[in-house]
Amino acid sequence: MQIGIDSFAAISPTIAPVDRMANLLEEISAADVAGLDHFGLGEHHRAEYLDSAPAVILAAAAALTKTIRLTSAVTVLSAADPVRVFQEFATLDLLSKGRAEMVVGRGSFIESFPLFGLDTRDYDSLFEEKLDLLLTLRDEPRPHWSGRHRPALSGQPVFPRPMQPSIPIWLGVGGTPASFARAGALGLPLMVAIIGGEPHRFRPLIDLYYEAGSRARQPKEKLKLGIHALGYVADTYEQAADEFFPGYAEAFTKIGQERGWPPVTRRQFDALLGPTGALMVGSPESVAEKVLSMHESLGGVARLSFQMSVANLPHRKLLRSTELLGSRLAPIIRKALPEQA
């Protein structure tokens, strides 16, 4: 199982944006030094995040790192031009010497639609069409393609081409059955965001993904499951829980005000810390045990991304958690699952 980190580059009222960006690059470098497999950056167009241009940040990180894979988490493809997305990540692939990836999706917020002059009534058709174009661009440097939402391409060259023969493109999904089936039918690796509830309840949707892939006669090696989870490790279980809760509660209570959710309570948080809950928070050893249990209940997880920045933790605590992921948690997972190391 690959172990890595996702960040939304959340800002803090106590840190200037320029300093938060410097800290973020140090966090990516620390993940590389710790031996983690990947680092992902989200894409948001909101005042509380600095990740509206993830490919730019990842390009800066490429110059500071050696082995870690650099990915979006996710690229909001519905609101983007697939030609530019491909060019940006092909450039990133060259800068990183073949370490670029993409997780593409529709995003959990819709502010990018009015920002870029798009209609939310086209929510589904925009994504379906743009995903088709992106996959075409990955395979064809002079594509012939037409659609409803973008001018046609009639053999215009799309360059540069990446160092990798084919940049990995994961499909990021929430809980919509059609999205799971689409990923399977296209033979794309699947990244599932599980930020609440109990991960094992996603098993029917994951089975749907594999069934759709089988019906489409996709090679089994193309179908891989990744999980994006809220998580944080500290030296002890109690320390991790107490440090993560305040920022987590603040962030999700704020989101809840937009979406009609009640305020987050410590009781709800503690329930999610339980053996079957979605939060991967605790000591490296306790979280590793929970990760292995999730791996079994979901039928095999190829990649796990810890989303720590949502809790607005101090920079030094994020660095310490990154170190613990590499030195104490990852070795447990790799020993237990040597065939996936």
Side-chain angles (χ1 to χ4, degrees), residues 138-261:
R138 183 172 66 167
D139 297 333
E140 301 176 22
R142 297 177 184 273
H144 290 263
W145 178 94
S146 62
R148 183 164 67 92
H149 297 290
R150 188 198 189 281
L153 295 172
S154 54
Q156 295 96 322
V158 179
F159 290 95
R161 306 307 295 178
M163 179 178 175
Q164 296 178 88
S166 182
I167 292 181
I169 297 176
W170 297 65
L171 191 61
V173 303
T176 306
S179 297
F180 284 78
R182 176 189 290 126
L186 293 173
L188 296 176
L190 182 72
M191 181 61 68
V192 185
I194 302 181
I195 61 173
E198 297 177 311
H200 71 85
R201 296 184 182 274
F202 280 77
R203 182 61 185 266
L205 292 171
I206 293 166
D207 289 343
L208 175 62
Y209 163 66
Y210 288 116
E211 290 164 5
S214 177
R215 286 195 302 271
R217 298 184 178 180
Q218 294 290 351
K220 288 184 178 181
E221 61 270 19
K222 284 189 172 184
L223 303 176
K224 297 187 292 185
L225 172 65
I227 301 296
H228 165 99
L230 302 181
Y232 173 67
V233 297
D235 289 281
T236 68
Y237 174 92
E238 292 78 13
Q239 178 188 352
D242 290 343
E243 290 177 351
F244 195 77
F245 173 71
Y248 164 84
E250 180 180 356
F252 275 84
T253 295
K254 184 175 181 179
I255 294 172
Q257 291 172 348
E258 299 179 17
R259 303 185 181 184
W261 303 343

Side-chain angles (χ1 to χ4, degrees), residues 8 41-46 51 72-80 103-113 120 123-124 126-127 170-176 179 182 191 193 195 228 259:
F8 292 167
L41 276 177
E43 178 188 340
H44 299 84
H45 303 270
R46 301 167 67 89
D51 60 353
S72 56
V74 303
T75 295
V76 184
L77 191 59
S78 303
V103 180
V104 301
R106 292 178 289 189
S108 59
F109 298 100
I110 60 171
E111 69 275 355
S112 57
F113 281 76
T120 54
Y123 188 78
D124 292 316
L126 276 167
F127 181 74
W170 297 65
L171 191 61
V173 303
T176 306
S179 297
R182 176 189 290 126
M191 181 61 68
I195 61 173
H228 165 99
R259 303 185 181 184

Side-chain angles (χ1 to χ4, degrees), residues 126-145:
L126 276 167
F127 181 74
E128 183 176 359
E129 180 176 297
K130 292 186 176 187
L131 178 60
D132 178 65
L133 176 54
L134 182 64
L135 296 177
T136 299
L137 294 167
R138 183 172 66 167
D139 297 333
E140 301 176 22
R142 297 177 184 273
H144 290 263
W145 178 94

